[in-house]
């Protein structure tokens, strides 16, 4: 179990690094929003890992909140992106 | 013991979904294809992680919260992907040479054809509408 948690944590680390690379490089603001959305999803996954590892349920509310925050963030940015020629 | 194995598989599977999204974000050529990769950890990955939680704790009290969390994500992620895709299409953050079929192009062309008359005539009719009551 501990091994599985560590392996999953390692995979998540690689994933978040790739997403952050896109967030830094991303040619447009929409790419960055997408990448940060993925980062947020990975943070939620990390919270679950923490709960499984420590056998507690403290992060559950945070998990629900994170899934809403990501939605609000990307919709807001997408709404206000304008066409700069 | 069996639970431990199931939880391990679910956790690693969910992490692999995030990895797939990360690789997709880093390697795919334009916004629209990256968008498809990016919704992977939010729906399937989150489902696997929440299942892992449910199996680990084995309590029915937990299930409604987990279902709520997943339903939220299931409802919101297509909407946000749609908004991002729409904004991307409008601001031309896509590579047209990669599209096999652009169904919106027709609609946009027709709207652009009808459009010049629209605002122009509205500008002209506004004074007339003001004149007729007077």
């Amino acid at each position: 179990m501990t091994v599985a948690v560590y392996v999953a944590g390692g995979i998540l680390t690689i994933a978040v690094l790739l997403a952050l690379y896109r967030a830094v490089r991303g040619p447009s603001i929409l790419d960055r929003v997408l990448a940060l959305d993925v980062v947020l999803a990975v943070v939620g996954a990390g919270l679950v890992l923490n709960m499984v590892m420590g056998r507690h349920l403290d992060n559950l509310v945070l998990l629900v909140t994170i899934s809403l925050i990501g939605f609000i963030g990307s919709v807001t940015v997408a709404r206000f992106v304008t066409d700069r020629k | 013991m069996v639970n431990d194995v199931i939880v391990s598989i679910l956790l690693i599977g969910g992490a692999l979904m995030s990895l797939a999204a990360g690789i997709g974000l880093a390697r795919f050529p334009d916004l629209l294809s990256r968008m498809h990769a990016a919704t992977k950890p939010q729906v399937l990955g989150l489902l696997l992680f929440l299942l892992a939680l449910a199996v680990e704790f084995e309590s029915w009290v937990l299930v409604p919260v987990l279902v709520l969390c997943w339903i939220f994500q299931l409802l919101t992620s297509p909407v946000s992907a749609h908004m991002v895709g729409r904004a991307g299409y409008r601001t031309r953050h896509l590579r047209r040479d990669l599209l096999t079929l652009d169904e919106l192009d027709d609609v946009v062309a027709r709207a652009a054809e009808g459009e010049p008359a629209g605002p122009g005539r509205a500008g002209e009719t506004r004074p007339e509408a003001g004149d007729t009551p007077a």
Side-chain angles (χ1 to χ4, degrees), chain A residues 1 3-5 7-9 11-12 14-16 18-19 21-22 26-31 33-39 41-42 44-46 48-49 51-52 54-57 60-61 63-64 66-68 70-71 74-79 81-85, chain B residues 3-4 7-9 11-12 14-16 18-28 30-31 34-39 41-42 46 49-50 52-53 56-57 59 62 65-66 68-69 72-73 75-77 79-81 83-84 86-93:
Chain A
M1 178 66 99
V3 179
V5 170
V7 169
I11 297 173
L12 286 183
I14 300 172
V16 86
L18 287 170
Y21 163 77
R22 177 53 63 194
S28 69
I29 190 170
L30 291 170
D31 287 302
V33 169
L34 269 186
L36 292 179
D37 223 12
V38 171
V39 170
V42 173
V48 174
L49 279 186
M51 282 192 280
V52 170
R55 289 200 61 87
H56 61 82
L57 291 172
L60 213 53
V61 181
L63 196 62
V64 178
I66 272 183
S67 68
L68 280 182
F71 168 67
S74 50
V75 165
T76 309
V77 174
R79 180 71 185 78
V81 168
T82 51
D83 195 2
R84 288 170 302 185
K85 278 174 221 165
Chain B
N3 275 9
D4 275 7
V7 170
S8 309
I9 291 173
L11 285 180
I12 292 178
L16 284 177
S18 292
L19 182 66
I23 293 174
L25 277 178
R27 306 252 327 145
F28 279 171
D30 72 335
L31 178 73
R34 276 180 211 139
M35 200 175 68
H36 290 295
T39 39
Q42 293 165 14
L46 186 71
F49 273 112
L50 295 179
L53 262 189
E56 169 75 16
F57 287 95
S59 81
L62 208 55
V65 184
L66 300 182
L68 179 76
C69 186
F72 262 148
Q73 197 62 261
L75 287 179
T76 55
S77 76
V79 176
S80 67
M83 293 288 284
V84 168
R86 205 173 81 127
Y89 189 92
R90 284 187 172 175
T91 52
R92 296 179 200 80
H93 285 305

Side-chain angles (χ1 to χ4, degrees), chain B residues 12-133:
Chain B
I12 292 178
L16 284 177
M17 287 303 138
S18 292
L19 182 66
I23 293 174
L25 277 178
R27 306 252 327 145
F28 279 171
D30 72 335
L31 178 73
L32 294 185
S33 46
R34 276 180 211 139
M35 200 175 68
H36 290 295
T39 39
K40 199 176 278 292
Q42 293 165 14
V43 180
L44 188 53
L46 186 71
L47 174 68
L48 292 179
F49 273 112
L50 295 179
L51 279 178
L53 262 189
V55 173
E56 169 75 16
F57 287 95
E58 287 183 319
S59 81
W60 286 106
V61 188
L62 208 55
V63 173
V65 184
L66 300 182
V67 168
L68 179 76
C69 186
W70 195 56
I71 292 285
F72 262 148
Q73 197 62 261
L74 202 61
L75 287 179
T76 55
S77 76
V79 176
S80 67
H82 175 85
M83 293 288 284
V84 168
R86 205 173 81 127
Y89 189 92
R90 284 187 172 175
T91 52
R92 296 179 200 80
H93 285 305
L94 74 164
R95 283 175 54 188
R96 292 204 175 268
D97 51 319
L98 292 176
L99 294 177
T100 47
L101 175 65
D102 186 359
E103 289 176 318
L104 255 181
D105 202 22
D106 237 17
V107 181
V108 171
R110 239 183 301 142
E113 224 171 75
E115 196 67 6
R121 206 169 47 199
E124 286 168 14
T125 49
R126 193 57 59 85
E128 280 178 24
D131 282 350
T132 36

